[in-house]
Amino acid sequence: LQYGTTRIDIPRARIRRAEAIDDRTGPTFVPRPTDDEARGLLRITFSRQGQILLHLEPPLELTRKRGVFEAGKVLFNADDRDAVLEALSGDAAFDTPVARPSIDARPEAITVPAHNLVQRPIAIEAIELSRAFGARLAVDNLTFGVHAGEIYGFIGPNGAGKTTTISMLVGLLAPTSGIVRIAGHDIAASPIAAKQALGYVPDKPVLYDTLTGRENLEFIAQMRGMSQRDADVRIGALFDTLALRDRGDELVRSWSFGMRNKLSLAMALLHRPSVLILDEPFNGLDPQTSHNLRELVLAQALQETSVLLSTHDLSLVERMCHRIGVIEEGRLIAEGSPADIRHQAVDLESAFLAMTGHGTAP
């Protein structure tokens, strides 16, 4: 099971019974003492949709900062509950090693290592990309790629060319020269195929203010060619994950900036894109929603969605990203894992300031 930054391996031989269940809604996890812990229940749920309860014997031991938590039951979501239940009802045993994963582990300890990602196809590709505005060259011969399942941090000072680059990647701005490929499709030659694979969250949400939140998503679902049933299920799940259900039937013009940002993210994720481009997606979000969004982005990457994340929150980039590209004056001046970029500096922020001429790394 994978929940955001946490992975839990459950040996098949420990599963005594699996049953369908409908429990409480909302994203939940167990990082603190609760009645569930006393009953040996570990919740790993995003919503009420497709919940499965596993009964384990002997209980699974999970290492926590406070000690060992023994989980005799695990509750989680499955996209196809019937298929999972059918698979678990068989007699075959899996060769899954008994492990004691840490709930409090750092993301880099459990996400896919960057060196393994290079074997996967490149899903976001910029090749010798340039864009001029009159005599000013905003993006200068930029080349980089993002692999399937990779979270790529795209950072740089204000005016470095990040938003211009992103506008070219999503097809809103034509490059002066160069090529953009999304999921293998040239966005200039095959814009429909490229955009079908793409989910995009701009730095300023673009919404239909005279529609409700639900109507905004229903309209996007129709534009994406989704069935009514699939759209209803998907909208419900996203409303639960992003805590929008209580306000979903209100006109968007009455929503706060943070809520509008969440709806913009839901619109990008609605059709389950294989490529996700996020431009400052955490702006205006409260701490709980920001946490849920981080978990959601990590979960997308674990499903082999390629994620390009542009943000000024360097601590977030350091925790979440497999690789980082640093852009300045329209050129890529550094690229590598967070450890590569940080090098001998105390943190990514110090390295970034030294690299862009705004400070010195210790």
Side-chain angles (χ1 to χ4, degrees), residues 122-123 181-186:
I122 294 177
R181 293 196 186 104
I182 300 294
H185 304 288
D186 185 319

Side-chain angles (χ1 to χ4, degrees), residues 255-304:
W255 285 16
S256 68
F257 180 75
M259 290 185 63
R260 294 168 68 89
N261 256 11
K262 289 193 284 185
L263 183 60
S264 180
L265 178 67
M267 292 166 73
L269 291 172
L270 186 63
H271 64 297
R272 300 180 180 87
S274 61
V275 169
L276 193 56
I277 295 180
L278 309 175
D279 192 359
E280 295 291 352
F282 297 94
N283 279 350
L285 300 186
D286 60 81
Q288 182 61 57
T289 303
S290 182
H291 169 79
N292 292 348
L293 175 53
R294 291 197 301 272
E295 298 290 293
L296 187 58
V297 171
L298 289 163
Q300 292 293 308
L302 290 165
Q303 296 171 23
E304 298 198 9

